[in-house]
Structures are given as C-alpha cells and as structure tokens.
Amino acid sequence: MCSQMLINPFRKGCVIFSKGLTRRPPANSSWIRTSSHGTQSSNSHDFHEKDGYGNSRRLTIAGLGAITVAGLYYYYKKNIPTVWAHENKENEVTTTAREPGSFVEGLPIYSSDEVAKHCNESTGVWISYKSGVYDITPFIKMHPGGNKILLGAGGSVEPFWSLYAIHQQPGILALMEEYRIGNLTKGEEHLAMANMDDPYANDPRRHPVLVVRTKKPFNAETPTSLLVESFITPTDIFYVRHHFPVPDVDLSSGDYSLEVIGLDEKYSLNLNLDQLKTAYAPHSVTAALQCSGNRRSEMNRVKPTKGLEWGQGAMGNAVWKGARLRDVLLAVGITDSDENENWHVRFDGLDTDPTSAPYAISIPLTKAMDPRGDVILAYEMNGEPLTRDHGFPLRVVVPGTTGARWVKWLTRIEVSRNESDSHWQQCDYKSFNPSTDWDKVDFSTAPAIQEMPVTSVVCDPQNGEKVKLKDGKIKLRGYAWSGGGRGIVRVDVSVDLGKTWHVAELVDPVKLSKQWAWTRWQANLPVQTTGQETEVWVRAVDSGYNTQPEGMEHLWNMRGVLAVAYHKIKVSVEEN
Ligand SMILES: Nc1nc2c(c(=O)[nH]1)N[C@H]1C(S)=C(S)[C@@H](COP(=O)(O)O)O[C@H]1N2
Ligand SMILES: [Mo]
C-alpha cells in the first residue's frame, strides 16, 4: 500500500489522465495550485490543457516519466540503499562506462511514437531518456511493487529528472542503462525537455551560512554553534526542509485562500488571509520546530538509513503568531464531544509532487481542539510575515509535534474520521524496530510520529574541535527539548564515559507542561586528562522523567527518524 503515491488512478490504457493536468494554473505560476483537490476528476483526454511546462503533450510525458522514475527510484531505494550513505563512498554503485542516455552506435532507432506504444506488459514497457530507449519489462517483473511502474510506461523520464535532482544519482542511471535497447530518432531526444523551465528557478535566495544538504529540493540546517547563541533562532538562519519547489504566493492577485471543511461539507469556510487575521484573535506561541530526521547522521554511523544526512541543526526555536486552529474549527461546527475523540485534521500545502498530489499530513483532532494545545495557523514568524521558505503566507504550528506535521503554504484543512491518506502520513514519518528493513516493512503497522521524544545536543564545542581549558575546566553549551509540551527538568553531562554525571545549568526558563520552546543548557566541567581526546556525553530528562537511550544502535530504524540517543562528541583538550 505504501507505493500508492506511484499509482495514478486516472490512467486508462496507455493514456495518462492526470488529475494534475486540470488543476495546474497557467504558465508562470505552474507551482501554485489555486483550486482545491478532490473535487475534480478528470476523466477525459486533457491534451489541450496548457501549463508551465510548455504544452500539454509534454506535461503528459512529464507525468509518465515522473511515475516511472518514481518506480525505478522506489526499487532503487529498496535494493541499493548504500547510495544514501554518503559517508560510505566506497560502497557506492558505480556507473557504466558509457554516458547514460548517449547515442549508442549499432542499436536500433525508435521514434517516440514507437516508444509510446510499449506501455504495458503485453506490449512490453519502454521508456526513453535523452537518446536512449529502454525496455524495462524485465525490471518490472523483478520490481516488488510490480505494476506500479507500468503507470509510467511509454514516455520520456527526462522532465522528471530536473524536478528531483536527487534522482540523478549515478546508480539509477546505470540501472537504467542495463535495460538499453535502442536509440531515439534523432531530433526527438529533447522533445520532452524543450521549454521546460527548472521548477526550482523561482526558489528564494538563502543565507549562505546554512549548511546545505540538498539544493533541489532545498534542504539545509543551521550550524549548531549559531543555534546555541540565542533562545530564538533568527528566521534567515532557521533550518529549511522542503520536499518540492517553493510555492510563490502573490496575495494581491486574490488567488490565495484557505479552505476549511468540517465533517460535513455544509460547514465549510473559505478565508483569505485578511479574513483569517481579523475574524480570529491572534495568539502567539514560542515553540521549537524539529525535523523527525534531526541527528540522522549519528544514526547512519551505526548503519546507513535513508534520508537527508542531517546533523543536529534541523531544529530551531521561534515565536509564531496566528489564529488558533481551535477557533477556526469551532466555526465549522466541530465540538469537544467524546464522539470525535479519534478523528483527525488534515492539512494540504500548495506544493505538489509530480503527480500533483499536495504535501499533506494530519494530526489528531484532540490536539487541534485542545485549548491548551496551542495549535495555530501562523502567518508570522519572529514578528514578521512568514518567509516563503517557512510557508508564506500561512502554515500550521503544532507545538510539541514533529516538524513534518507543520504544513507550510497551507491551503486546505479538513476534519475527517481518517488520517490523511497522503504518502507522507501513511508511508513516511514512522519508526520501526532495528530488524525491520525496506523489504519487510509494513507501514500500516506503525502509527505516524506525532509528539516527539526527549533529546539534547552539545552545540559548543563541536565534535572534533580542539578545546582550551580554563582553570582546568571545559565549557559546554547546547540545547535540550522534549515533545508533547513536557519541559526539560534536568540535563546531565559526563566527560568520563558516564562514570560520573554533572547537572548542567538550564539557561532558559522552563515549565513542566505546555513547554513548547527548547531550553539551552551550559556546564563548566573539570577535565582530568589533558592532551588527549575526551568524549563529552549529554542527555536530558523531561517532566515525565523520560530520558534518552545511550546508543543509537538499538534505536536504529531504516528511515533514520527519532535519533535521540545521548549526544556524544569527541574533542581534544589542551591546557590553556
Ligand atoms: N507544504 C509543506 N509543508 C511542510 C514540508 C513540505 O515539504 N511541504 N516539510 C515538512 C517538514 S518534514 C518539516 S521538518 C518542516 C520544516 O519546516 P521549515 O522549513 O520551516 O524549517 O516543514 C514541514 N512542512
Ligand atoms: Mo522533517
């Protein structure tokens, strides 16, 4: 079920009926979805619909390619996991000698129409990439998700390439080259690419201090040495985590609106930003935002996982201001009755995947309705309107809950008896035991991560740094935080591998509950052995007396989420 994102329900035979085709606005705003989803079901040929890709034919090809590559990629992720382990360079899949997609003398020539005829198992499944034509039928038979890849049959995968730069891994191209059967008719190679702009070209500029993990989509973290400098993380250096290009909302165009749907469609609202601001009292919350994958790189040292190679900076603390979600839900008829105890609130962003599915997520309705839960629809971050990277004009702030649920560029809210059926809700942001791997996993067996466990980090000094002692002492600084509003009650540090522990000073004020912000900590510890490497360990205890496990080993999970073991760094210590 978790390859569902690869299934296009609108496809019939060899023609793709992508619901996205009718949803995309005209050129120049191709990444902004103006109408809400779910209401249209395009069941006709939409070849004449234009959009930012240039023309409909190309768009369809893009859709085909997208899904095929998604299939290849899915297969690739499951079977060649080392490609994600950037530290394990020696294990990386090698490329074939020839340039993927280049013209190969002696192979038959096929026209793109010919390629298009091969779109199912009886005809064989062909795709093209640059000058290359590939018969991926045998691959489909091997593919665990089988028929899903069929959905992309008969088209060029190229447009998809520029959308997900991450797919340009040598391994995937090499994998494709193994299925090479011919060359595309000269002159048709770039058909699919013509006029196709880089969908990331309109991404905003970013502060150079951010440590970039991927450029397209943009993912970058804050250096931890800067994180610890202030209780509130400045917006410009706040970590950024995107799945897709950044939507560009022009409020003056009047296109932007937030749709809110209660359980019954009768109770629904459509608000523009001004209406939201004036109809509902503003509420401010200071809350830390942390990615589920923060500290994944530490877990990868045990064994590679799949995901962005985050250090400890995929977290920050900010002041958020907006309307209380509770107030908005009351306005669409939602009450505090026990009956809706197990319901959910779904959120859709304006950003969409290549099949036009929006980034979508849900949270439990109880959290949304809790008057003490502080969930807000935020239009301000740190006293300014949200920046594009952080969700302009509106995002959900779900204090105490993992970052993935804080949907940016929010355009739709729906109360539902079921969780969001998106890929991100169902098939990602879940954790499994260390013996569960991609070939065994059943995503439906684990609940979505909502509240996060307690964590702590040494930000200063950094791992590997040379540290000068002052009066025989080492100065340590860092952050600690727990999910669910549980405040940090204690931070323990050790410089002798846990033989003795010292209680650190908490720098920022803490409450026992409704504590959404992080707490910085500091300690000045005597170090016995100088002139050699010293390990520094930190762990925190929250108001539920939960603490962190010692090692990442038994926490390891294939997706590399919730990496919350003791933070251990090594520094070399010198007498001043
Ligand atoms: N619409 C949308 N919302 C999103 C995402 C996204 O890609 N699209 N990424 C999520 C994830 S995984 C995280 S960790 C946070 C990151 O928020 P930030 O970029 O403001 O730090 O946004 C969440 N909200
Ligand atoms: Mo995240």
Side-chain angles (χ1 to χ4, degrees):
M1 103 158 275
C2 275
S3 353
Q4 254 184 6
M5 71 175 302
L6 308 178
I7 298 174
N8 186 331
F10 296 92
R11 183 170 187 278
K12 288 219 183 86
C14 291
V15 179
I16 292 283
F17 300 98
S18 165
K19 51 179 176 161
L21 296 182
T22 55
R23 238 202 288 151
R24 294 251 165 105
N28 302 330
S29 56
S30 54
W31 285 97
I32 300 169
R33 201 158 45 87
T34 44
S35 63
S36 68
H37 75 291
T39 47
Q40 285 161 328
S41 69
S42 158
N43 246 340
S44 60
H45 295 243
D46 262 314
F47 284 125
H48 306 294
E49 177 106 4
K50 294 220 177 188
D51 100 337
Y53 283 97
N55 72 34
S56 56
R57 170 81 183 133
R58 285 183 196 115
L59 180 63
T60 308
I61 293 170
L64 288 160
I67 299 160
T68 304
V69 175
L72 272 167
Y73 187 53
Y74 172 72
Y75 171 83
Y76 182 62
K77 280 209 297 188
K78 286 188 76 141
N79 294 281
I80 314 172
T82 43
V83 75
W84 287 95
H86 300 298
E87 285 171 3
N88 275 14
K89 282 260 161 29
E90 72 275 13
N91 290 337
E92 239 167 60
V93 181
T94 49
T95 45
T96 53
R98 83 171 161 253
E99 173 78 15
S102 59
F103 188 90
V104 179
E105 276 319 322
L107 286 183
I109 310 273
Y110 300 105
S111 68
S112 52
D113 286 344
E114 187 64 28
V115 175
K117 284 183 200 151
H118 294 85
C119 58
N120 58 45
E121 261 171 303
S122 57
T123 56
V125 177
W126 293 11
I127 56 175
S128 69
Y129 171 65
K130 294 188 178 166
S131 293
V133 174
Y134 306 82
D135 178 355
I136 58 168
T137 323
F139 168 79
I140 283 158
K141 299 221 169 86
M142 278 154 51
H143 184 244
N147 53 354
K148 273 128 211 162
I149 198 168
L150 278 175
L151 298 162
S156 163
V157 298
E158 220 166 326
F160 193 62
W161 240 247
S162 64
L163 179 59
Y164 284 119
I166 201 164
H167 292 125
Q168 292 177 12
Q169 305 259 14
I172 293 187
L173 292 167
L175 184 72
M176 275 186 40
E177 220 49 37
E178 287 176 28
Y179 299 97
R180 186 69 183 266
I181 54 161
N183 298 306
L184 207 58
T185 304
K186 277 222 158 56
E188 292 194 338
E189 308 92 321
H190 300 294
L191 179 76
M193 284 301 272
N195 287 339
M196 218 199 70
D197 295 326
D198 174 1
Y200 292 93
N202 190 29
D203 266 22
R205 289 172 65 104
R206 280 96 184 196
H207 198 287
V209 88
L210 286 171
V211 183
V212 177
R213 297 294 171 207
T214 61
K215 279 191 182 142
K216 298 173 180 186
F218 190 75
N219 286 294
E221 65 186 286
T222 317
T224 51
S225 57
L226 295 180
L227 271 187
V228 79
E229 289 297 335
S230 57
F231 176 59
I232 299 299
T233 312
T235 305
D236 285 347
I237 63 165
F238 204 98
Y239 87 95
V240 176
R241 202 283 182 248
H242 297 326
H243 291 79
F244 306 110
V246 180
D248 193 358
V249 176
D250 173 9
L251 287 181
S252 66
S253 74
D255 282 348
Y256 175 78
S257 71
L258 173 69
E259 191 182 7
V260 189
I261 301 184
L263 235 211
D264 187 330
E265 297 248 351
K266 265 192 309 207
Y267 298 100
S268 67
L269 276 173
N270 218 301
L271 302 164
N272 64 30
L273 195 68
D274 279 340
Q275 290 164 332
L276 183 80
K277 282 182 174 172
T278 48
Y280 304 94
H283 181 62
S284 288
V285 182
T286 304
L289 168 58
Q290 180 180 219
C291 183
S292 313
N294 192 29
R295 304 181 58 199
R296 179 181 286 125
S297 57
E298 296 169 60
M299 195 171 264
N300 284 344
R301 273 179 231 141
V302 175
K303 188 169 110 180
T305 66
K306 281 165 217 168
L308 297 160
E309 189 73 16
W310 291 124
Q312 297 77 29
M315 176 159 197
N317 195 52
V319 185
W320 312 90
K321 184 171 142 188
R324 284 182 189 270
L325 177 58
R326 176 187 166 80
D327 293 347
V328 177
L329 293 183
L330 286 169
V332 290
I334 304 299
T335 64
D336 290 316
S337 85
D338 290 345
E339 208 180 294
N340 52 25
E341 181 84 344
N342 296 316
W343 294 357
H344 305 268
V345 188
R346 303 176 175 211
F347 305 108
D348 291 2
L350 284 166
D351 50 338
T352 58
D353 76 9
T355 67
S356 294
Y359 182 83
I361 275 296
S362 61
I363 63 168
L365 180 64
T366 44
K367 170 70 178 171
M369 288 298 285
D370 185 354
R372 301 168 48 79
D374 283 336
V375 180
I376 58 173
L377 306 177
Y379 36 77
E380 274 186 22
M381 175 179 183
N382 296 337
E384 303 280 343
L386 286 177
T387 59
R388 279 180 65 205
D389 266 339
H390 298 292
F392 179 83
L394 195 68
R395 87 177 301 170
V396 196
V397 166
V398 194
T401 290
T402 195
R405 318 270 163 232
W406 298 38
V407 174
K408 299 186 270 195
W409 316 291
L410 182 67
T411 188
R412 191 171 192 274
I413 301 176
E414 183 184 352
V415 176
S416 164
R417 288 191 170 81
N418 303 307
E419 287 189 300
S420 172
D421 47 17
S422 76
H423 169 81
W424 300 277
Q425 186 73 18
Q426 301 294 334
C427 304
D428 204 350
Y429 303 112
K430 294 184 173 187
S431 183
F432 297 90
N433 92 8
S435 303
T436 304
D437 220 324
W438 293 93
D439 48 351
K440 296 195 207 131
V441 68
D442 174 359
F443 272 89
S444 70
T445 60
I449 300 166
Q450 298 281 349
E451 287 183 1
M452 293 192 92
V454 57
T455 193
S456 61
V457 160
V458 186
C459 296
D460 172 35
Q462 304 262 300
N463 189 34
E465 220 176 282
K466 281 199 177 100
V467 185
K468 290 230 188 299
L469 297 184
K470 247 192 174 164
D471 307 323
K473 290 181 172 173
I474 183 171
K475 179 152 192 209
L476 305 166
R477 299 188 302 153
Y479 68 73
W481 181 78
S482 187
R486 291 175 289 276
I488 295 298
V489 297
R490 205 180 73 224
V491 171
D492 298 332
V493 261
S494 175
V495 287
D496 57 9
L497 308 177
K499 281 186 215 88
T500 54
W501 289 93
H502 305 259
V503 176
E505 178 195 342
L506 302 184
V507 177
D508 305 307
V510 258
K511 304 188 297 283
L512 295 184
S513 66
K514 276 188 70 177
Q515 175 64 37
W516 314 121
W518 68 13
T519 308
R520 288 168 305 153
W521 59 266
Q522 60 185 31
N524 230 351
L525 300 189
V527 177
Q528 305 305 338
T529 46
T530 56
Q532 63 182 73
E533 215 169 49
T534 296
E535 274 201 40
V536 179
W537 292 7
V538 63
R539 67 153 188 232
V541 177
D542 74 13
S543 60
Y545 275 101
N546 303 297
T547 188
Q548 301 168 242
E550 191 214 312
M552 291 290 181
E553 203 181 329
H554 305 293
L555 268 186
W556 188 94
N557 59 88
M558 57 184 207
R559 191 63 174 88
V561 290
L562 308 179
V564 295
Y566 294 3
H567 188 215
K568 298 179 177 182
I569 61 163
K570 287 180 184 159
V571 291
S572 56
V573 182
E574 290 164 14
E575 204 72 65
N576 208 353

